Amino acid sequence: GAVVSQHPSRVICKSGTSVKIECRSLDFQATTMFWYRQFPKQSLMLMATSNEGSKATYEQGVEKDKFLINHASLTLSTLTVTSAHPEDSSFYICSVRGPGTVQLASYEQYFGPGTRLTVT
Amino acid sequence: KQEVTQIPAALSVPEGENLVLNCSFTDSAIYNLQWFRQDPGKGLTSLLLIQSSQREQTSGRLNASLDKSSGRSTLYIAASQPGDSATYLCAVYSSGSARQLTFGSGTQLTVLP
């Protein structure tokens, strides 16, 4: 499958500051990228979907002005948590999906290792 | 809206035991179903992906079955080992063009030595 990286793996920030998380698709063209959030002992909840070069589509209840998503290239998407608060502390995971090749189906998502955000 | 449920939420078994994890989904019109493993504080590791036309997939000690019409899937783990301890997530791909992925809440498995 595709190789996906996230940076940083862990970040601690003060309340009120902004933090940026990067998601990179290392070995294929990610035409679509997804951002998920996972609270302790809960499952992954989709936050937003972005297609390369287009504005992200946010799920209901996710503030687009608070969680800024940029998908400027086929290999990089960023999630910026603006004016972070302690309740934003969570595990953020990105996943990618490509246009499909002989080896990789067009629907399957490949996941990054996640970023642990702690807001103090 | 698709809902995915996993039972049990947590399971503790002695090493060597065979076990079954259950997953059910409300909308049987799925494209595919995938089982993942997640270790504490880590991302997801794909275990098995079953296409909607298939009934089962096997990888080593793992066997996943799919009964699309009844909205159920099971993950069978044979001869469990302490290293199998993790959270197991079931997820379904919707059949619409968006191919959206919906996750279950997971089963936390502990295999005792």
Side-chain angles (χ1 to χ4, degrees), chain B residues 6 23 26 59 82 102:
Chain B
Q6 290 186 246
C23 171
T26 54
S59 176
T102 302

Side-chain angles (χ1 to χ4, degrees), chain B residues 35-112:
Chain B
W35 283 92
F36 294 90
R37 168 184 173 141
Q38 185 177 30
D39 292 289
K42 303 293 185 182
L44 304 182
T45 299
S46 177
L47 298 174
L48 291 164
L49 184 147
I50 309 177
Q51 296 182 18
S52 60
S53 59
Q54 298 176 320
R55 295 195 66 84
E56 66 177 336
Q57 279 282 358
T58 298
S59 176
R61 294 183 293 109
L62 304 179
N63 176 278
S65 69
L66 173 63
D67 185 342
K68 188 178 165 185
S69 60
S70 67
R72 295 179 184 176
S73 176
T74 61
L75 179 66
Y76 175 82
I77 302 177
S80 59
Q81 303 170 357
D84 294 331
S85 298
T87 295
Y88 290 80
L89 295 168
C90 168
V92 298
Y93 287 89
S94 67
S95 58
S97 59
R99 298 279 191 264
Q100 191 160 352
L101 193 58
T102 302
F103 283 87
S105 53
T107 293
Q108 186 174 352
L109 173 66
T110 302
V111 181
L112 304 170

Side-chain angles (χ1 to χ4, degrees), chain A residues 10 34 36 38 41-46 49 59 91 93 95 97 106-114 116, chain B residues 1 31-32 34 36 38 41-44 46 49 51 89 93 97-101 103-106 108:
Chain A
R10 290 177 177 270
F34 305 85
Y36 293 84
Q38 186 179 34
K41 296 196 181 296
Q42 295 186 26
S43 192
L44 279 73
M45 296 300 295
L46 180 65
T49 302
E59 295 299 302
F91 193 55
I93 303 177
S95 75
R97 187 174 72 192
S106 61
Y107 59 84
E108 190 168 355
Q109 293 183 30
Y110 302 92
F111 289 81
R116 171 73 60 194
Chain B
K1 182 182 177 183
Y31 191 68
N32 292 306
Q34 193 164 4
F36 294 90
Q38 185 177 30
K42 303 293 185 182
L44 304 182
S46 177
L49 184 147
Q51 296 182 18
L89 295 168
Y93 287 89
S97 59
R99 298 279 191 264
Q100 191 160 352
L101 193 58
F103 283 87
S105 53
Q108 186 174 352

Side-chain angles (χ1 to χ4, degrees), chain A residues 52-110:
Chain A
E52 185 261 338
S54 301
K55 288 186 178 181
T57 301
Y58 291 80
E59 295 299 302
Q60 191 172 8
V62 178
E63 301 174 58
K64 62 179 181 181
D65 295 329
K66 181 171 184 62
F67 299 99
L68 303 179
I69 293 172
N70 183 285
H71 185 175
S73 77
L74 290 173
T75 59
L76 174 65
S77 175
T78 60
L79 168 67
T80 301
V81 183
T82 63
S83 186
H85 289 97
E87 57 265 32
D88 298 323
S89 298
S90 187
F91 193 55
Y92 292 86
I93 303 177
C94 75
S95 75
V96 305
R97 187 174 72 192
T101 65
V102 174
Q103 289 79 25
L104 298 175
S106 61
Y107 59 84
E108 190 168 355
Q109 293 183 30
Y110 302 92

Side-chain angles (χ1 to χ4, degrees), chain B residues 2-17:
Chain B
Q2 178 73 271
E3 292 183 5
V4 182
T5 304
Q6 290 186 246
I7 295 173
L11 180 63
S12 183
V13 300
E15 182 177 5
E17 194 163 297

